[in-house]
Amino acid sequence: QVQLVESGGGLVQAGGSLRLSCAASGRTFSSYDMGWFRQAPGKEREFVAAISKSGSTYVTDSVKGRFTISRDNAKNTVYLQMNSLKPDDTAVYYCAARGGGAYRSTVRGYDYWGQGTQVTVSS
């Protein structure tokens, strides 16, 4: 079992930056693949980025070159650095964890979820 707590969301102007953090409980953080998803009002939750146990990273095309995912196993924390933010990036951002396997970029592929943090980008 792992508990996830996101932080770092807020209101930012278009073109600005934010760094989201997700702190995980437990002593087995390094054994989990981690992901970030987002959900805008009226839309389905969508994949943003993932980082494997070994540190391999994956990002969705719409944020490639702007968002970077990283992890610090010593701090049990995964980060999402978001640069050049756009109004379309406005959403609640969720951190998620999984043991592994298929469906890395889908909601069904993750076992544990945080409560989410709101990111609002003004034009």
Side-chain angles (χ1 to χ4, degrees):
Q1 189 91 11
V2 61
Q3 292 183 327
L4 305 172
V5 179
E6 302 96 335
S7 61
L11 174 64
V12 64
Q13 288 188 334
S17 298
L18 284 174
R19 188 176 81 155
L20 304 184
S21 300
C22 173
S25 65
R27 293 176 289 181
T28 59
F29 175 75
S30 61
S31 67
Y32 290 97
D33 294 340
M34 302 298 295
W36 286 98
F37 288 73
R38 66 187 181 186
Q39 188 167 17
K43 295 188 177 181
E44 293 187 353
R45 194 169 297 188
E46 65 174 4
F47 172 76
V48 176
I51 185 165
S52 71
K53 307 175 201 45
S54 62
S56 297
T57 61
Y58 312 87
V59 294
T60 194
D61 286 346
S62 62
V63 307
K64 199 164 291 184
R66 301 189 298 121
F67 291 12
T68 303
I69 188 171
S70 61
R71 66 190 298 162
D72 185 338
N73 289 340
K75 296 183 178 180
N76 282 12
T77 301
V78 61
Y79 304 98
L80 185 67
Q81 177 67 45
M82 306 186 295
N83 299 328
S84 302
L85 282 161
K86 305 174 181 179
D88 284 350
D89 296 318
T90 295
V92 177
Y93 283 71
Y94 296 90
C95 173
R98 69 193 210 123
Y103 309 114
R104 177 180 56 233
S105 61
T106 64
V107 172
R108 65 181 289 188
Y110 289 79
D111 304 306
Y112 305 103
W113 293 84
Q115 295 296 319
T117 185
Q118 176 71 47
V119 171
T120 303
V121 184
S122 63
S123 57

